[in-house]
């Protein structure tokens, strides 16, 4: 026990605030999307990744990487989105084992219709509480934390390049 690097009072206070945010913010975003769009936060995230991809399609393995989720989680969500008519899945032409998820016109319409409410919720929960310098600081803090959590840089966090 003597080797344990216990948190100082300041560290404990900061950690508990971060832990509260990690619980409250995803739940609030999920509730807003389910109420207003009939989508889970992760379902919306998957649709968003597809909407930003070239040709609005991605290999399932790339979609898992882009959405920072396991292939099985993405497959499960894509199956649900297929049933709703928002995504179509097909075999990859160059690899019989791979498959492609493609955003349908209905899926694109769903993302476009859902985005304003989602962005407003993100603003009301996070962005509007911060001034410009604090947004920059938040970006820097998140970069430092993501570098610690993911030193190889495998998580996808950057928006697509134009």
């Amino acid at each position: 026990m003597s080797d344990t690097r216990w948190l100082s009072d300041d560290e404990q206070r900061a950690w508990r605030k971060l832990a509260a945010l990690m619980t409250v913010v995803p739940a609030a975003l999920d509730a807003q999307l389910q109420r207003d769009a009939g989508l889970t936060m992760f379902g919306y995230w998957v649709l968003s990744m597809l909407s930003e991809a070239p040709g609005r399609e991605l290999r399932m393995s790339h979609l898992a990487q882009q959405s920072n989720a396991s292939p099985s989680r993405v497959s499960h969500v894509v199956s649900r989105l297929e049933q709703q008519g928002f995504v179509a899945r097909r075999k990859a032409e160059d690899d019989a084992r791979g498959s492609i998820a493609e955003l349908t016109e209905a899926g694109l319409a769903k993302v476009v219709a859902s985005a304003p409410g989602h962005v407003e919720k993100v603003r009301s929960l996070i962005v509007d509480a911060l001034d410009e310098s604090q947004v920059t600081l938040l970006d820097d803090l998140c970069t430092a934390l993501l570098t610690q959590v993911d030193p190889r840089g495998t998580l996808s966090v950057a928006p697509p390049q134009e």
Side-chain angles (χ1 to χ4, degrees), residues 6-35:
W6 296 107
L7 300 177
S8 70
D9 289 346
D10 289 344
E11 291 167 337
Q12 182 73 250
R13 198 171 22 262
W15 160 242
R16 287 183 181 216
K17 289 175 184 176
L18 177 60
L21 281 172
M22 291 184 330
T23 302
V24 173
V25 171
L29 293 173
D30 201 56
Q32 178 275 317
L33 282 164
Q34 287 191 36
R35 181 188 65 242

Side-chain angles (χ1 to χ4, degrees), residues 118-131:
H118 174 65
V119 169
E120 186 54 41
K121 192 64 174 179
V122 170
R123 285 193 159 286
S124 72
L125 291 172
I126 306 294
V127 178
D128 290 346
L130 307 173
D131 64 29

Side-chain angles (χ1 to χ4, degrees), residues 3 7 10-11 17 25-26 28 30 36 45 59 67 69 81 90 94 101 110-111 122 125 143 146 153:
D3 292 342
L7 300 177
D10 289 344
E11 291 167 337
K17 289 175 184 176
V25 171
D30 201 56
D36 297 346
W45 191 254
R59 290 182 69 89
S67 57
L81 294 169
R90 68 178 190 280
D94 61 338
K110 188 65 161 179
V111 171
V122 170
L125 291 172
T143 297
L146 284 167

